[in-house]
Amino acid sequence: MSPEGFDIRGRLGEVAPRPRRKRVVLADRRRTRQVARTIMELEEQNSVGEVLVTSLVKAQLRSALVLTGVVVAVLFGLPVLFWAVPSIGDLEVLGVRLPWLLLGVLIYPFLVLIGYLCTRRAERHERDFLDMVEK
């Protein structure tokens, strides 16, 4: 009987061969050296690290400026639209005039959505940066 309580003999009373051991590798050591070297280059701010950090900063700035442009266009566009076409300002929805509804109530969910999108884009840029550093 084996230590687990099971008989390891075959049909004819022969001992069954033990399965071969498999080596389990949890981490690739060659890759960690390369990642450590890249992280060291980032900390030293040499040419490679500088290019990587600059690309991250540019990507984050670009996405922030795009979303800022959307917010500015909406926040300044709606009052200009109501000034240019006064008949739109006279419309009522659920007893509330449209300008009050859009600029006083619905602008807040819009700003929360923009904040959420900005955070998601920043996290995506950081993930891409880390993937590039780890390669």
Side-chain angles (χ1 to χ4, degrees):
M1 297 289 271
S2 69
E4 292 87 21
F6 297 106
D7 189 8
I8 58 172
R9 297 181 184 270
R11 283 190 228 173
L12 301 174
E14 299 172 359
V15 177
R18 291 184 178 218
R20 286 187 56 174
R21 290 182 142 186
K22 292 183 181 179
R23 182 176 178 190
V24 177
V25 179
L26 297 177
D28 186 10
R29 291 184 183 182
R30 288 173 285 164
R31 185 177 171 118
T32 57
R33 283 188 212 135
Q34 184 180 9
V35 171
R37 186 185 70 207
T38 308
I39 290 172
M40 189 172 60
E41 288 175 354
L42 288 173
E43 289 174 354
E44 293 175 358
Q45 290 292 317
N46 63 9
S47 61
V48 174
E50 188 175 335
V51 168
L52 290 173
V53 171
T54 302
S55 68
L56 172 66
V57 170
K58 283 183 180 180
Q60 297 238 0
L61 179 64
R62 189 179 323 111
S63 68
L65 289 176
V66 166
L67 291 175
T68 300
V70 170
V71 169
V72 168
V74 169
L75 287 180
F76 287 116
L78 284 174
V80 169
L81 176 70
F82 294 137
W83 175 77
V85 185
S87 62
I88 294 177
D90 294 334
L91 295 175
E92 288 189 11
V93 178
L94 300 172
V96 180
R97 292 181 55 187
L98 188 61
W100 281 100
L101 183 66
L102 289 177
L103 294 173
V105 177
L106 296 180
I107 201 69
Y108 296 106
F110 170 72
L111 292 175
V112 169
L113 175 68
I114 292 294
Y116 175 74
L117 290 175
C118 188
T119 303
R120 284 210 35 203
R121 283 187 173 193
E123 289 172 349
R124 187 180 68 214
H125 291 308
E126 289 172 2
R127 263 193 318 273
D128 293 345
F129 174 75
L130 288 176
D131 290 343
M132 192 177 356
V133 166
E134 291 176 353
K135 284 184 182 180

